[in-house]
Amino acid sequence: YTPNAGKNSVVFSYIACVYKQNHLRENAYQENIYFLDIPKEIKRASMKNIYKDDTERFNVIKLLKQFIDNYSSGLKIKGLYLSGNFGCGKTYLIAALFNELAKKGISSAISYWPEFLRNLKSSFNEGFNEKFINIQKVPLLLIDDIGAENTTAWSRDEILGPILQYRMQEQLPTFFTSNLNINDLEKHFGVSSGNVE
């Protein structure tokens, strides 16, 4: 019984145990990352857990470490376009980078691009502007799996174009992962609704 809560009322309160408090403290950095339809494994990505036995990854890992150092120093630098086969760890690498920077208080967003477009389209009546502006203005952005979506003039010219234009003007780093190399991505965006544009 708590007298201030009202007549015949019971008030419950919970206090996290030491283990829960440690867990919350260790994972507080994740509040700096906005995840849009991303698997749990990616949310826990870590630079120290990157698979380093593949020598082809060495240059990418080196670039990621340089990015962390340069970004932390306040240098304005570009993002990165990673292409490769499905499941080779492209998204994990960028998520590990973002998680590392989130520990330093830097906000970022990881957006699975095909699903982001579907969600955006379904939110015309409510929440459209907020979703669009959040992605447009976040300090670090990963557009994950670009090229896997159906190209429409709307998604290319009204959504992707303005996002990239704003981010370029404001010098906000943008990262991309894709199963398509850059030439195939250009072809992908050249065709919408079966017409070459």
Side-chain angles (χ1 to χ4, degrees), residues 102-113:
K103 292 173 186 173
K104 299 178 182 189
I106 298 163
S107 297
S108 61
I110 299 175
S111 174
Y112 176 62
W113 192 245

Side-chain angles (χ1 to χ4, degrees), residues 29 33 35 42-45 95-103:
Y29 70 91
I33 305 175
F35 295 101
I42 299 302
K43 293 177 183 179
R44 293 189 293 260
L97 166 72
F98 284 12
N99 282 337
E100 195 66 31
L101 290 169
K103 292 173 186 173

